[in-house]
Amino acid sequence: MISELSLENFAAFKKLDLKFTPGINIIIGENSCGKTQLLKSIYALSSEQDITSKLLGLFKPHNEKLSGIYHRGGKGKAKVTITDSSDQVSKIEFGPQMETAHRQSGFTELAQPVLIPTKEVLSLLEAIQSKAIPDEILKSLFDDSIVDLCYLLLTEPTKELTETVNSDPRLGQVIPMLVAAIGGRFEINDGEHLFVKGKFVETKSSTTSNALSAKAYAVVA
């Protein structure tokens, strides 16, 4: 879990230090104050991809260079530093005239990060799965947070739902909450996505696994 985030001369921030608490953290601010930039900076450092291309793909600077992400009027290098709850540190830095960013990562065994953008992404799934649009065109039209999420949604799971949910019981709690919140669920079949109206019905007994409980779902006519 991330415990601290520090930004200097980066994007909208001349200098910012944040400390996070265990559980859910909520970031509140006016429009265009940098909330999304904070999330994208964390996402970039949590990704194992080349850091320079990831920053350019996420922030889409107009000049297509790192200087477009450098804080206007800043002095010195741009820096982003993340510290996790185990005191492991990962950081990136680059100067206003540098073409590549340097990353120093102390993180090990990174899980696949997920960033859910504010824009609707489901309409892109069919085009991406059918490969009707080349990757380079997709990345020129949309930032990496959108494209990455689409590819993640279309990725076949490497583990069965039972194994996944039982390895992290929190998933068994999240699924019914999501179903209840939206009044149904989305399904993806052969590139097509549809919303199925319904409700979550708890049928778990003392002998039912968390995964089987998560599957307990009844469709309402």
Side-chain angles (χ1 to χ4, degrees), residues 102-119:
H102 174 71
R103 168 161 52 187
Q104 180 182 342
S105 180
F107 296 164
T108 57
E109 299 181 356
L110 285 174
Q112 172 68 46
V114 177
L115 173 59
I116 301 178
T118 56
K119 297 180 176 64

Side-chain angles (χ1 to χ4, degrees), residues 197-212:
K197 185 179 179 181
K199 63 181 181 179
F200 185 91
V201 179
E202 180 63 71
T203 60
K204 185 178 179 182
S205 68
S206 59
T207 59
T208 304
S209 69
N210 289 323
L212 290 177

Side-chain angles (χ1 to χ4, degrees), residues 161-178:
L161 179 62
T162 301
E163 182 182 356
T164 302
V165 176
N166 281 330
S167 66
D168 189 346
R170 292 175 299 177
L171 291 175
Q173 299 175 352
V174 170
I175 292 174
M177 292 171 61
L178 287 174

Side-chain angles (χ1 to χ4, degrees), residues 168-198:
D168 189 346
R170 292 175 299 177
L171 291 175
Q173 299 175 352
V174 170
I175 292 174
M177 292 171 61
L178 287 174
V179 172
I182 66 176
R185 67 181 180 189
F186 279 96
E187 294 182 350
I188 302 174
N189 295 312
D190 297 325
E192 295 185 0
H193 59 275
L194 64 153
F195 179 76
V196 181
K197 185 179 179 181

Side-chain angles (χ1 to χ4, degrees), residues 10-215:
F10 185 83
F13 305 98
K14 182 175 182 180
K15 179 66 176 177
L16 179 68
D17 295 302
L18 294 176
K19 291 188 177 182
F20 298 99
T21 60
I24 297 176
N25 291 264
I26 300 175
I27 301 172
I28 300 174
E30 297 179 355
N31 291 341
S32 302
C33 71
K35 300 185 297 296
T36 299
Q37 292 179 348
L38 285 176
L39 298 178
K40 286 185 176 181
S41 67
I42 296 172
Y43 183 74
L45 266 172
S46 302
S47 171
E48 294 184 338
Q49 298 180 26
D50 174 72
I51 190 61
T52 300
S53 61
K54 202 62 188 173
L55 287 172
L56 296 177
L58 284 169
F59 289 88
K60 293 289 186 185
H62 292 302
N63 62 358
E64 299 182 352
K65 296 181 179 180
L66 290 175
S67 59
I69 313 174
Y70 186 85
H71 181 73
R72 185 175 299 178
K75 295 181 180 180
K77 290 185 176 181
K79 300 178 182 179
V80 181
T81 305
I82 291 178
T83 305
D84 70 8
S85 55
S86 301
D87 290 329
Q88 297 182 112
V89 176
S90 183
K91 62 182 179 180
I92 56 174
E93 61 178 37
F94 58 88
Q97 305 301 323
M98 294 176 64
E99 295 186 359
T100 58
H102 174 71
R103 168 161 52 187
Q104 180 182 342
S105 180
F107 296 164
T108 57
E109 299 181 356
L110 285 174
Q112 172 68 46
V114 177
L115 173 59
I116 301 178
T118 56
K119 297 180 176 64
E120 186 270 325
V121 301
L122 292 176
S123 58
L124 286 175
L125 295 182
E126 186 174 356
I128 290 179
Q129 188 175 50
S130 65
K131 299 188 182 300
I133 304 176
D135 285 353
E136 58 269 20
I137 295 180
L138 279 172
K139 288 183 175 293
S140 68
L141 295 173
F142 306 99
D143 73 59
D144 277 14
S145 66
I146 296 174
V147 178
D148 288 353
L149 180 60
C150 287
Y151 278 121
L152 187 60
L153 289 170
L154 292 170
T155 300
E156 291 293 331
T158 57
K159 296 190 294 185
E160 291 293 329
L161 179 62
T162 301
E163 182 182 356
T164 302
V165 176
N166 281 330
S167 66
D168 189 346
R170 292 175 299 177
L171 291 175
Q173 299 175 352
V174 170
I175 292 174
M177 292 171 61
L178 287 174
V179 172
I182 66 176
R185 67 181 180 189
F186 279 96
E187 294 182 350
I188 302 174
N189 295 312
D190 297 325
E192 295 185 0
H193 59 275
L194 64 153
F195 179 76
V196 181
K197 185 179 179 181
K199 63 181 181 179
F200 185 91
V201 179
E202 180 63 71
T203 60
K204 185 178 179 182
S205 68
S206 59
T207 59
T208 304
S209 69
N210 289 323
L212 290 177
S213 176
K215 287 182 176 179

